[in-house]
Amino acid sequence: MEQNNENKTTAMPRIGEKAPEFKAVTTQGEIHFPNDYSGQWVILFSHPADFTPVCTSEFITFASLEKKFAEANCKLVGLSVDGLYSHIAWLRTIGEKIEYKGMKNVEVKFPLIEDITMEVAKKYGMIQPGEATTKAVRAVFYVDPKGIIRTILYYPLSLGRNFDEIYRILIALQTADAFNIATPADWRPGDDVIVSPAGSCGAAKSRMEGKEDMTCQEWFFCSKKIDKEKVLKTILKK
Ligand code: BEZ
């Protein structure tokens, strides 16, 4: 639980729950979250402040990857507790003047929420007072096509996010849903996937005897192959 300014407690959002609903003003007009994204994946992420260096490097990276996320049916929505005119000026400056790791002239086309009142940031547990009381931490919420929160990441102010991991999580979640499997440590498309433990002794025996399309080292550790092409063809639309 987290305390807000009026000393009321608000529950932090959790994995498996409906994403808290809100309406907000953004750089791309008003949005109604998560309703506007029904049928799509959406990543809602926060950054501490406009016109700061780590956030700038992250925005350039997010904007450069927007098409790649869109191919996986995923939209991006940013948020900070800055105002709309600050957002607009910062994004314009980034596009005109900043280069990061060879990425330059990037246009941020996804919405960036203004949240001066911190209403949305508080709803999503993005204000973590031990880290900062007047800035959001670097949060990442994965919301699925039914509006359910599927993964939450929180990073401190000083640590820029790893975008390989942010993308890997999206593909792993979609793969788990599409093939009814789980993904092991460091999984990437093409690696073996995990088949969940058998529900009965009979099923476990049949698995151990190699009667099913999987390899079991032990009754609780069964995996199977799914080709990289099959994963990507299922998930990505060009
Ligand atoms: C940054 O994005 O560089 C940053 C923002 C807030 C605190 C520290 C760093």
Side-chain angles (χ1 to χ4, degrees):
M1 298 292 249
E2 184 188 300
Q3 299 262 314
N4 70 15
N5 281 348
E6 292 93 40
N7 263 348
K8 279 187 284 177
T9 51
T10 50
M12 301 271 283
R14 291 180 294 200
I15 292 174
E17 294 177 352
K18 200 104 182 104
E21 199 181 327
F22 63 83
K23 284 188 179 153
V25 171
T26 83
T27 49
Q28 305 291 328
E30 205 173 285
I31 61 167
H32 185 178
F33 193 92
N35 308 38
D36 289 350
Y37 298 91
S38 174
Q40 296 177 296
W41 286 78
V42 54
I43 293 179
L44 172 67
F45 69 96
S46 57
H47 70 275
D50 298 346
F51 294 101
T52 52
V54 178
C55 302
T56 297
S57 69
E58 291 188 319
F59 256 72
I60 291 175
T61 312
F62 257 133
S64 303
L65 292 171
E66 189 178 5
K67 185 161 172 275
K68 196 169 160 180
F69 281 92
E71 285 169 0
N73 190 30
C74 181
K75 293 280 205 275
L76 304 174
V77 178
L79 175 149
S80 81
V81 302
D82 298 288
L84 187 63
Y85 294 109
S86 166
H87 284 344
I88 292 168
W90 179 48
L91 298 184
R92 187 186 303 143
T93 310
I94 288 176
E96 288 172 356
K97 298 194 173 154
I98 310 286
E99 175 173 353
Y100 177 66
K101 289 194 169 174
M103 296 174 275
K104 59 179 178 181
N105 303 124
V106 297
E107 192 186 344
V108 176
K109 297 186 189 131
F110 57 81
L112 174 49
I113 295 169
E114 74 152 7
D115 191 28
I116 313 174
T117 60
M118 300 193 194
E119 195 182 321
V120 180
K122 283 179 180 162
K123 227 178 210 180
Y124 274 80
M126 293 165 172
I127 305 295
Q128 305 201 356
E131 184 70 353
T133 52
T134 57
K135 293 175 172 60
V137 294
R138 300 180 198 281
V140 187
F141 286 84
Y142 292 75
V143 178
D144 76 12
K146 292 184 178 144
I148 304 296
I149 297 173
R150 298 291 298 278
T151 298
I152 304 172
L153 306 173
Y154 288 116
Y155 288 58
L157 303 191
S158 62
L159 178 61
R161 285 163 272 212
N162 180 315
F163 288 81
D164 282 344
E165 175 64 354
I166 288 175
Y167 184 70
R168 191 191 75 91
I169 289 171
L170 177 69
I171 300 302
L173 289 169
Q174 293 191 17
T175 302
D177 286 358
F179 297 97
N180 192 27
I181 50 81
T183 50
D186 293 332
W187 177 87
R188 290 191 173 269
D191 292 347
D192 290 356
V193 297
I194 298 286
V195 184
S196 49
S200 69
C201 290
K205 187 162 176 284
S206 137
R207 284 181 170 193
M208 289 303 287
E209 287 167 353
K211 289 181 183 154
E212 291 180 45
D213 169 28
M214 63 183 79
T215 306
C216 294
Q217 295 181 41
E218 256 304 341
W219 60 270
F220 63 88
F221 198 73
C222 298
S223 60
K224 69 176 185 182
K225 300 206 173 302
I226 305 179
D227 291 343
K228 183 174 180 177
E229 292 68 35
K230 191 170 175 186
V231 168
L232 299 182
K233 204 168 155 221
T234 306
I235 287 165
L236 304 183
K237 58 177 168 87
K238 295 278 177 215

